[in-house]
Amino acid sequence: MEAEENVSDVEVEETLERVEELRRRMAAVWDRFEEAKLAWRELVRKRAERLLKAGGPRRDT
């Protein structure tokens, strides 16, 4: 069951512009996520290196 709607070219263009803006924003969010993930991995790697140099994790027992 198809419904026909009268949509103007202006409405279509505005919608396409909004979709493109959302796509750009989502891409920017994804890029920030990837940067944060890499920074976290680097932080974990550095911590592991420090622990290895210090002889392993501390045991507070």
Side-chain angles (χ1 to χ4, degrees), residues 1-57:
M1 182 172 179
E2 287 187 31
E4 288 189 28
E5 294 184 30
N6 292 329
V7 180
S8 72
D9 290 344
V10 172
E11 289 173 310
V12 170
E13 186 61 34
E14 288 172 350
T15 301
L16 290 173
E17 288 171 4
R18 286 195 306 268
V19 168
E20 182 58 26
E21 175 61 22
L22 288 173
R23 189 203 62 75
R24 281 193 299 271
R25 290 169 60 187
M26 286 300 298
V29 167
W30 185 256
D31 289 345
R32 287 194 302 272
F33 168 76
E34 289 292 329
E35 290 170 6
K37 187 171 69 172
L38 291 174
W40 176 255
R41 286 181 179 166
E42 182 66 13
L43 190 68
V44 169
R45 184 188 65 76
K46 287 180 179 180
R47 173 140 171 84
E49 287 176 354
R50 282 196 310 272
L51 287 172
L52 286 173
K53 286 180 184 177

